[in-house]
Amino acid sequence: MSHGKKYFNALKKAPKKTVTLEEAVKFVKDNAGAKFDETVDCYFHLGKELTKGDTAVRGIVKLPHGSGKNVKVAVFAGGDAAEAAKAAGADFVGMADLIEKVTKEGWCDFDVAIATVEAMKEVRKCARILGPRGLMPNPKTGTVTDDTATAVKEAKAGKVDFRMDRTGNLSVIAGKRSFDADKLIANIKAVVSAVNGAKPASVKGVFIKSMSISSTMGVSVSVNPAIDAE
C-alpha cells in the first residue's frame, strides 16, 4: 500500500520510542491519516511459541463506548428465536435462505453471524465460506446461542471478537478517531484486559511481547502494554 503526504508528515512527528497510552492516543487523534473518520486498532505481538499446539488465543471484548461502527448482524434461526432477533435489530434473519445464499453465492455482507444451537446443524454447511473470514458462529464468542436478542444487542453495542493469527499477531478494533480521548483510552484498556484474560494457562512469562495503536491510514505508535484497566 502506498502512503500519501499526510502519512509521511505524521511519520516525521511520530514518537521514536514506546510511549504511554495517553500519549499514543493523543498522537493518533492529532494526526489524521485520511479525511474520513478512521477506525483505531490495537495491535499485539504475542510470541511465536503461541502458534504451537492448542495455545491459539481468541476471545471477546465488550467496548464500554462501542466500536463506532455500524455492525451488520446476520442471524441463522427460526421460530421465536428469529422473531426475537428481528425485534432486537438484526439486519438479516433466516435459515435455509441465508444458508443457500452463503453456500451458493459466497454471500458475506455482514460483520457478525449468530446462530441458535439447533440451527448450527445446518449452518456448518457454511464453514468453508465463513470460517476463513472469521464469521463462523462459535460458542466461545457467544454467537451460538438461543438468546438471539441479547446476542444481537451486544454485537450492535460494540462486542468485538478477536483471534490470533498463525504468526502470533493479533489486532482488535478499539473505536473511532473522532471519539473523545478518554473514551478511546477506556476502550483500549478494555481490549488489553480482554487479551490478557485470554492468556492460555500453559503460557508462562511475558504474554504480550509488544503493543501498538494506529488509525486506519495513520502511523503506528508503540505503547507500553503494562496498562491498568480501571
Side-chain angles (χ1 to χ4, degrees), residues 2-230:
S2 59
H3 295 292
K5 187 176 180 181
K6 283 187 176 182
Y7 179 89
F8 289 108
N9 285 339
L11 186 61
K12 292 177 183 177
K13 296 182 286 183
K16 308 305 179 192
K17 60 181 181 179
T18 298
V19 297
T20 66
L21 176 58
E22 290 73 16
E23 291 171 320
V25 167
K26 185 178 188 310
F27 176 84
V28 169
K29 285 184 60 63
D30 290 347
N31 294 274
K35 292 181 180 179
F36 61 85
D37 188 12
E38 301 166 276
T39 296
V40 175
D41 293 290
C42 297
Y43 299 93
F44 302 90
H45 179 59
L46 305 178
K48 291 181 179 179
E49 67 273 15
L50 286 164
T51 63
K52 301 175 181 178
D54 60 352
T55 54
V57 176
R58 71 178 302 163
I60 59 172
V61 54
K62 295 179 181 179
L63 300 174
H65 300 289
S67 66
K69 183 178 180 180
N70 180 23
V71 181
K72 291 183 182 179
V73 180
V75 179
F76 297 88
D80 292 342
E83 294 305 314
K86 290 177 183 177
D91 300 273
F92 311 100
V93 181
M95 266 297 295
D97 54 338
L98 293 190
I99 292 172
E100 183 176 2
K101 198 171 182 180
V102 172
T103 56
K104 293 189 176 181
E105 300 175 22
W107 176 71
C108 294
D109 187 24
F110 49 87
D111 303 294
V112 177
I114 295 165
T116 60
V117 176
E118 180 67 22
M120 278 304 293
K121 295 176 182 178
E122 294 297 316
V123 176
R124 289 191 181 93
K125 296 175 182 176
C126 302
R128 182 175 58 84
I129 304 295
L130 301 184
R133 294 168 175 79
L135 292 173
M136 192 67 184
N138 189 305
K140 292 182 179 179
T141 59
T143 49
V144 175
T145 175
D146 291 329
D147 187 358
T148 54
T150 297
V152 169
K153 290 175 183 177
E154 288 184 343
K156 290 283 188 179
K159 187 180 81 169
V160 177
D161 66 307
F162 55 85
R163 181 172 59 179
M164 182 190 73
D165 67 17
R166 294 178 180 178
T167 60
N169 294 313
L170 177 68
S171 65
V172 190
I173 292 174
K176 293 286 187 177
R177 193 175 57 80
S178 62
F179 282 16
D180 291 341
D182 59 341
K183 291 183 178 180
L184 261 181
I185 289 169
N187 275 3
I188 293 171
K189 286 183 175 181
V191 169
V192 174
S193 179
V195 172
N196 275 319
K199 177 181 178 180
S202 59
V203 176
K204 309 300 180 184
V206 178
F207 178 47
I208 299 176
K209 304 289 186 181
S210 63
M211 171 186 170
S212 62
I213 67 170
S214 75
S215 58
T216 306
M217 304 292 288
V219 175
S220 179
V221 183
S222 180
V223 180
N224 183 350
I227 295 170
D228 293 325
E230 297 175 354

